[in-house]
Structure formats: structure tokens, C-alpha cells
Amino acid sequence: MSDINFDSNNFCWLSFPNGIQKFDGKNFITIPVQPGLPDDKWCYFFRCLNGDLLISHVMGVSKYDIRSNKFSLIYNNPPDVLKAMKFIGEDEGTIYGYTQRGTLVGLSAEKYKTVYEVNTGIQNVIGSRSNAMPTIGYNIINHRVVIKTDSSLSLFDLHDRKLAYAPVYIAEMSNYFLRLESQDQVFYYRNGKDNKPIAEHYNFATGITKISTAKSVVSVTSFRSCSHNWQNKTLLSYFNHLYETSPGLDSIKYELVDFQNKPIGGTSAIVKITEDHTGNLYLQTINDGFRKIIRNAYPIKYY
């Protein structure tokens, strides 16, 4: 599974390497290539603040019209682009995306027209690899987003449309986790001794790196991680485990488990946490489908 998200009817959309499906609560419906949706491979979804669903693919970005059940192409990728644009997020009425060329694209959240395209300067760090794509931070704080390319971290200001600081080299960073803690500080993982993951905080303003105590939660040599804010809680996944952490992601409060008191991800790593319109969580795994956490479930005690 490539991605998962929800439309304004709370129907679940699933992206796969070979196509798109929609789950309406009863049936899985295959969404074919059609006018307004020229490609369906390796797509990314983005749910706008108004509930509209956008789909990024190698041909550009499509918008789903839930009333007509049809699509419209709202952004065209240049012919030489080989990867779907990665969504950054929505900030002050603009939906931001990052292209393979290192271009920041801004789409109006009202009319879905291109507001601007600006060269971020980050593509120079990527180098000459034609298929290179960066890791985008999970969140936007004070118009800023963090972007990782190879072993460099860049902090980009969406409002000023420029880098807030010069890119910083950090060796052995993981491609699977990147989150801002403040407008200047980022949380990430890197490979430490014997390739064991180490969680670190880096502050662009001070240039100080601090090791997080969250690094010793579990010991794995190959992992994925992601985070999500849910019901005034900060959740952090680590391989197949899911934890509630402190807001700064530097200490663990407890682990969320299944009814058998086992890791909620089963035997597969959790790669994305998505919330539907009623507050239920969906955990996307690498090769074990997705798991659902119901928001208003009755409390369970172990006997």
C-alpha cells in the first residue's frame, strides 16, 4: 500500500503501486484512469481542511469532486518529471507541494489554481539523480517545514519562500521520520553504533544537537517511524509499536497494544497514521494492510 486517506464522506481511499481503491464501508471499489485522473500508480493523497481530496500522481495533481464522482486535473507536471509531487500541507489558504525538480508549488485552497512556483534551492543538494525525492517533515510550524535530501536538512519558510537557514549536513539520517518541534528545532532518527537507531533533536538557530531518551524504546536494526497528534496526545510509532509520548517526543508514557497485549502493528512496521472525520485512527503498515483504532471504544481490562 502506498497511501491512505479519507474524503468528506469519510470513505477510505487506498493507493497501491498498481492502482487506487475506495472503500465505502462495505465494498472496495477500483478507481480507473479517467478524464481528470490520467494516472493511478504510486499516488499520494491529501485531505484539504475543507474536506476535499487531492491526488498527486506522476502526471500532476487531481481533485476529486464528491458530488459528481468525477475528477479534474488542477496541476500538470512537466513532461520530464518522473515522480509524483509530495504534499507538504496547508497553510494560510495555500496547499503546498514539493516536486522532483526541487520546486515549491502553491495551490489556492479555494479555487485550486496555482498561486506560485518557486525554486527552493534544495535541489542542488539532491545532486544529479533523476529519481531522487526528499523526505518532507510531518508538520508546519510558523510557516516553516523541514526537508531532508540525502544527508542534508533544510528548513524552508513557506511565507517568505526561501530557506530560513543554510542546509545542515547530518550523517546517517533515516529517511522515514522528520518532525518539527518548534519553528527552529527538528526531531529525527539516525543510525548509530551497530546501525541501531538514535533519536536526536537539532536546533537550526543554535546549531546544537541533543540525543533524545526516546531512542531506547525498542532495539531493532531496521525500522520505520511516524507521529500523529490525537485527542490531545502525541503518538509515536517505532517499527510495529505505537506509543503515547511527551509533546517533545523525548519520553515514553505507555504503549498502545491490541486485545492480546501485542504490538498493534502486528509483525509489520507502521509507516503512516491517518485520522478519519470521526477521530478513528488508521495505521498503514508496510505489508500487513492497515489497522483501525476506534476512538470511542469501551475500556478493556486484562484478566
Side-chain angles (χ1 to χ4, degrees):
M1 188 188 306
S2 305
D3 202 5
I4 179 173
N5 220 313
F6 297 85
D7 61 26
S8 56
N9 279 342
N10 215 33
F11 291 167
C12 181
W13 289 68
L14 307 169
S15 169
F16 300 92
N18 60 346
I20 299 172
Q21 286 191 327
K22 178 176 69 174
F23 181 61
D24 62 7
K26 184 178 180 181
N27 300 306
F28 285 93
I29 303 168
T30 299
I31 308 298
V33 170
Q34 57 191 279
L37 183 65
D39 190 74
D40 62 353
K41 311 292 191 299
W42 295 105
C43 297
Y44 298 115
F45 300 122
F46 182 76
R47 186 176 68 201
C48 306
L49 293 180
N50 63 8
D52 286 344
L53 186 71
L54 304 185
I55 304 174
S56 174
H57 42 75
V58 71
M59 303 294 290
V61 178
S62 298
K63 174 183 174 291
Y64 175 60
D65 188 330
I66 201 165
R67 296 177 181 84
S68 65
N69 195 31
K70 294 182 179 180
F71 298 87
S72 58
L73 189 64
I74 62 173
Y75 178 80
N76 288 282
N77 275 339
D80 60 335
V81 169
L82 306 176
K83 296 284 186 177
M85 180 172 69
K86 284 194 171 184
F87 292 111
I88 293 175
E90 185 172 345
D91 186 49
E92 290 192 332
T94 302
I95 300 161
Y96 294 96
Y98 187 92
T99 73
Q100 185 182 2
R101 286 180 165 182
T103 301
L104 179 74
V105 176
L107 303 173
S108 167
E110 181 181 358
K111 297 183 178 180
Y112 299 103
K113 301 295 184 181
T114 302
V115 178
Y116 65 84
E117 296 185 52
V118 61
N119 189 327
T120 62
I122 299 176
Q123 79 277 14
N124 296 326
V125 182
I126 296 176
S128 59
R129 292 182 299 155
S130 62
N131 63 345
M133 283 298 285
T135 300
I136 306 294
Y138 286 108
N139 56 341
I140 298 171
I141 295 182
N142 195 23
H143 316 302
R144 292 181 175 183
V145 63
V146 63
I147 300 173
K148 173 191 175 296
T149 52
D150 291 334
S151 294
S152 294
L153 278 181
S154 300
L155 189 63
F156 194 86
D157 193 304
L158 301 172
H159 185 269
D160 294 339
R161 305 180 189 180
K162 65 179 183 180
L163 289 170
Y165 298 93
V168 177
Y169 176 81
I170 299 176
E172 301 295 330
M173 276 189 297
S174 167
N175 292 323
Y176 303 117
F177 188 91
L178 204 56
R179 177 186 170 108
L180 279 178
E181 300 175 286
S182 69
Q183 69 170 14
D184 294 317
Q185 184 159 302
V186 60
F187 179 93
Y188 59 90
Y189 284 95
R190 68 174 179 83
N191 291 327
K193 187 177 181 181
D194 299 324
N195 288 325
K196 290 185 178 181
I198 295 176
E200 290 185 342
H201 311 266
Y202 177 78
N203 190 294
F204 282 91
T206 63
I208 295 174
T209 301
K210 182 178 69 173
I211 296 179
S212 171
T213 56
K215 64 180 176 24
S216 59
V217 173
V218 291
S219 294
V220 293
T221 57
S222 178
F223 79 105
R224 303 277 185 112
S225 183
C226 55
S227 67
H228 185 80
N229 294 327
W230 185 52
Q231 299 187 58
N232 299 318
K233 303 174 183 177
T234 301
L235 302 182
L236 175 69
S237 75
Y238 197 99
F239 191 60
N240 59 341
H241 299 261
L242 183 64
Y243 302 93
E244 181 183 347
T245 74
S246 62
L249 298 174
D250 53 6
S251 63
I252 300 299
K253 293 184 178 180
Y254 58 81
E255 180 177 359
L256 283 74
V257 295
D258 64 16
F259 291 146
Q260 296 178 322
N261 203 25
K262 294 181 179 180
I264 205 161
T267 59
S268 185
I270 300 167
V271 295
K272 183 178 180 180
I273 304 173
T274 307
E275 187 173 344
D276 68 14
H277 290 288
T278 60
N280 300 318
L281 286 186
Y282 291 75
L283 312 180
Q284 177 187 336
T285 67
I286 292 180
N287 52 20
D288 242 355
F290 61 87
R291 310 297 174 93
K292 180 178 180 180
I293 300 178
I294 301 174
R295 176 183 180 182
N296 294 320
Y298 290 105
I300 300 294
K301 293 184 178 181
Y302 294 105
Y303 293 93

